[in-house]
Amino acid sequence: EPEVTQTPSHQVTQMGQEVILRCVPISNHLYFYWYRQILGQKVEFLVSFYNNEISEKSEIFDDQFSVERPDGSNFTLKIRSTKLEDSAMYFCASRGDISGNTIYFGEGSWLTVV
Amino acid sequence: ELKVEQNPLFLSMQEGKNYTIYCNYSTTSDRLYWYRQDPGKSLESLFVLLSNGAVKQEGRLMASLDTKARLSTLHITAAVHDLSATYFCAVDKGSRLTFGEGTQLTVNP
């Protein structure tokens, strides 16, 4: 079964450092997402991406965050200057079209900011 | 702002019993998802409900959607220990999913 893959699975970084989280969405999918989940809390939307541009972003997705699809397969989330409160599990997701197909989530990248 | 509320948030039940998890949401939407999450793991898609009156069943789980009432239910029949996990509903609106708080289900032998 096709799957969304994410790297790294776990990263520890110092406050103020830049972090790049990588995702390979399912081939032929057109819509890409980043969500995050702080430990013990619900899953929160960060950003959606379609046709090489951001289609929607949440209030969490401020200027320290950016996304990019540098080639035909990768989809990255960059956090420019990490804060302690950025510690969370970050999930990448993708879906084929907007008509209601399942949204598939990757295994997540656990980010710890110290 | 779309709000999604699940209840209960914690559910401890005996094996063999039935129970229902409720998901209420505040604005109109025709698409709703149910996911399962095991501790430290990703979100596993259980059901995609696309229209009013939709009902889907997989094994001991059955999900339904009433868009007029803005309510979805996840019914568990004859629970088994393997169903212990956190269950999230998520409403699809615009370009995003808005998740409920999750229901942490524990099935005791």
Side-chain angles (χ1 to χ4, degrees):
Chain A
E1 183 177 296
E3 59 181 20
V4 177
T5 57
Q6 290 186 241
T7 54
S9 56
H10 189 195
Q11 182 162 353
V12 180
T13 190
Q14 294 219 319
M15 195 167 51
Q17 295 295 304
E18 177 182 283
V19 161
I20 297 176
L21 305 178
R22 292 182 168 79
C23 169
V24 179
I26 294 172
S27 176
N28 297 326
H29 276 194
L30 301 175
Y31 295 84
F32 314 116
Y33 308 86
W34 284 101
Y35 288 81
R36 78 169 186 193
Q37 186 179 33
I38 295 170
L39 186 63
Q41 298 186 22
K42 68 176 178 180
V43 180
E44 300 174 292
F45 169 78
L46 291 177
V47 67
S48 59
F49 193 86
Y50 169 70
N51 201 24
N52 285 320
E53 62 183 24
I54 291 173
S55 44
E56 190 175 352
K57 59 184 180 180
S58 73
E59 57 280 0
I60 301 169
F61 194 89
D62 59 22
D63 290 343
Q64 68 162 149
F65 292 92
S66 62
V67 289
E68 200 176 35
R69 189 157 160 82
D71 52 44
S73 58
N74 290 288
F75 179 51
T76 62
L77 175 69
K78 183 191 289 187
I79 310 174
R80 254 181 282 282
S81 177
T82 49
K83 303 189 268 255
L84 293 176
E85 54 264 37
D86 294 328
S87 295
M89 180 77 93
Y90 288 81
F91 291 108
C92 175
S94 72
R95 72 169 157 190
D97 61 55
I98 206 71
S99 65
N101 285 355
T102 299
I103 299 173
Y104 293 90
F105 283 78
E107 291 292 318
S109 294
W110 182 247
L111 176 65
T112 303
V113 182
V114 297
Chain B
E1 181 191 341
L2 172 58
K3 290 191 185 339
V4 182
E5 293 181 349
Q6 284 181 239
N7 73 83
L9 298 183
F10 298 93
L11 177 55
S12 180
M13 54 192 298
Q14 296 290 319
E15 278 191 330
K17 298 292 188 185
N18 305 333
Y19 210 85
T20 300
I21 298 170
Y22 296 89
C23 174
N24 289 91
Y25 53 98
S26 61
T27 64
T28 57
S29 173
D30 290 332
R31 297 196 292 254
L32 189 138
Y33 300 76
W34 283 96
Y35 286 91
R36 169 184 170 142
Q37 187 180 40
D38 292 295
K41 300 293 187 181
S42 185
L43 297 153
E44 175 192 352
S45 177
L46 296 174
F47 300 107
V48 181
L49 302 168
L50 299 178
S51 60
N52 187 39
V55 176
K56 290 196 174 178
Q57 182 162 5
E58 181 73 34
R60 300 175 189 273
L61 300 178
M62 183 173 72
S64 67
L65 177 63
D66 181 344
T67 58
K68 291 184 172 55
R70 297 177 191 167
L71 171 68
S72 181
T73 61
L74 180 66
H75 186 72
I76 302 152
T77 302
V80 293
H81 179 69
D82 284 353
L83 290 179
S84 296
T86 299
Y87 293 84
F88 290 95
C89 64
V91 176
D92 192 351
K93 185 93 175 167
S95 302
R96 66 169 79 184
L97 292 182
T98 301
F99 282 79
E101 298 284 342
T103 297
Q104 187 175 316
L105 171 66
T106 304
V107 181
N108 303 303

